[in-house]
Amino acid sequence: QWQRLVDTPYEKLPEEDIVRLQWFGMYHDKPKVGTFMMRVKIPSGILSPAGLDAIGEISERYGRGQSELTTRQNIQLHYITLDRFPEILARLKGVGLTTMGGCGDVVRNITGCPVAGVDRDELFDATATVAEAARFFYGNREYSDLPRKHKITVAACPFQCNAPEINCIALVGVRLDGRDGFAVRVGGGLSSTPRISRHLGVFVPRDEALTVLRAIIDVWRLTT
């Protein structure tokens, strides 16, 4: 499939193929001259030295030495041509990174507090919960054709630097009767109809977080 895309002159690529590339985390560069923006998903914005090295190497080799940090804790590279994409994917996979679902109607990058695990004021470290959710949703075909893109954030940051109010689902760290867990907010967004999310008024233990995330998304995707 990739070979067909590589062998087809850019101006002759069907528009449906261009749209499908969004699910691989790629959009047209602007102006549309045959290169693409590639979005690397970084859960909670926490990036290993090996991951940073890989992204820097890709940027230097194929992206004119440029990159962007996004509001959802991704890193975007530009000027990527389709013939380079398979080797870029392999390089990212080798350090535990992916572009899958960086764009399109999927679960987007799951954000959190970028200093989780080192902030002395945090209620608890939610990094493991973010990682569990990312492992489940990223590249999961069952959740790759949603009614619309879906944005999740998870943190126990006392300053709520991850802006839970404007996400589709936010798990907000709380402690109840000595147990660590999450309050749940749903329905936030900043698109064509900006809105602040609402509290569901429930407590979710940490070990049930993924189950609750799946249940909320299932209700939405199966009834929309």
Side-chain angles (χ1 to χ4, degrees), residues 65-123:
Q66 300 180 30
S67 61
E68 300 169 337
L69 301 178
T70 78
T71 55
R72 291 204 64 79
Q73 300 173 331
N74 304 284
I75 291 182
Q76 293 181 170
L77 304 172
H78 290 270
Y79 312 111
I80 304 299
T81 55
L82 290 180
D83 60 318
R84 300 298 188 184
F85 194 56
E87 59 191 281
I88 291 174
L89 276 184
R91 180 72 174 94
L92 291 173
K93 183 178 180 180
V95 293
L97 294 174
T98 185
T99 67
M100 300 298 290
C103 316
D105 294 329
V106 298
V107 173
R108 297 294 183 89
N109 191 46
I110 300 172
T111 64
C113 177
V115 292
V118 296
D119 180 7
R120 64 182 181 181
D121 294 319
E122 69 182 348
L123 196 58

Side-chain angles (χ1 to χ4, degrees), residues 12-187:
K12 294 184 179 180
L13 282 173
E15 184 60 27
E16 55 265 30
D17 282 341
I18 300 297
V19 173
R20 289 190 188 102
L21 287 172
Q22 294 180 20
W23 274 255
F24 289 89
M26 298 181 74
Y27 277 126
H28 271 300
D29 270 329
K30 296 179 181 180
K32 298 179 180 180
V33 293
T35 64
F36 292 83
M37 178 276 290
M38 182 182 70
R39 183 175 290 157
V40 184
K41 298 171 82 171
I42 304 171
S44 202
I46 298 174
L47 184 61
S48 70
L52 183 60
D53 183 67
I55 292 173
E57 177 185 310
I58 294 166
S59 175
E60 290 291 335
R61 287 188 178 183
Y62 311 122
R64 303 184 189 177
Q66 300 180 30
S67 61
E68 300 169 337
L69 301 178
T70 78
T71 55
R72 291 204 64 79
Q73 300 173 331
N74 304 284
I75 291 182
Q76 293 181 170
L77 304 172
H78 290 270
Y79 312 111
I80 304 299
T81 55
L82 290 180
D83 60 318
R84 300 298 188 184
F85 194 56
E87 59 191 281
I88 291 174
L89 276 184
R91 180 72 174 94
L92 291 173
K93 183 178 180 180
V95 293
L97 294 174
T98 185
T99 67
M100 300 298 290
C103 316
D105 294 329
V106 298
V107 173
R108 297 294 183 89
N109 191 46
I110 300 172
T111 64
C113 177
V115 292
V118 296
D119 180 7
R120 64 182 181 181
D121 294 319
E122 69 182 348
L123 196 58
F124 58 85
D125 183 3
T127 302
T129 302
V130 175
E132 180 186 25
R135 284 193 301 270
F136 178 80
F137 287 113
Y138 291 8
N140 188 327
R141 285 181 173 271
E142 189 176 357
Y143 295 89
S144 294
D145 189 21
L146 300 176
R148 191 72 171 89
K149 61 185 177 182
H150 206 76
K151 298 179 177 180
I152 298 172
T153 191
V154 181
C157 172
F159 309 106
Q160 298 193 355
C161 65
N162 56 320
E165 303 91 348
I166 58 172
N167 281 264
C168 302
I169 306 176
L171 299 185
V172 182
V174 296
R175 184 167 288 142
L176 180 66
D177 298 330
R179 293 189 300 162
D180 291 339
F182 299 97
V184 183
R185 301 183 65 118
V186 298

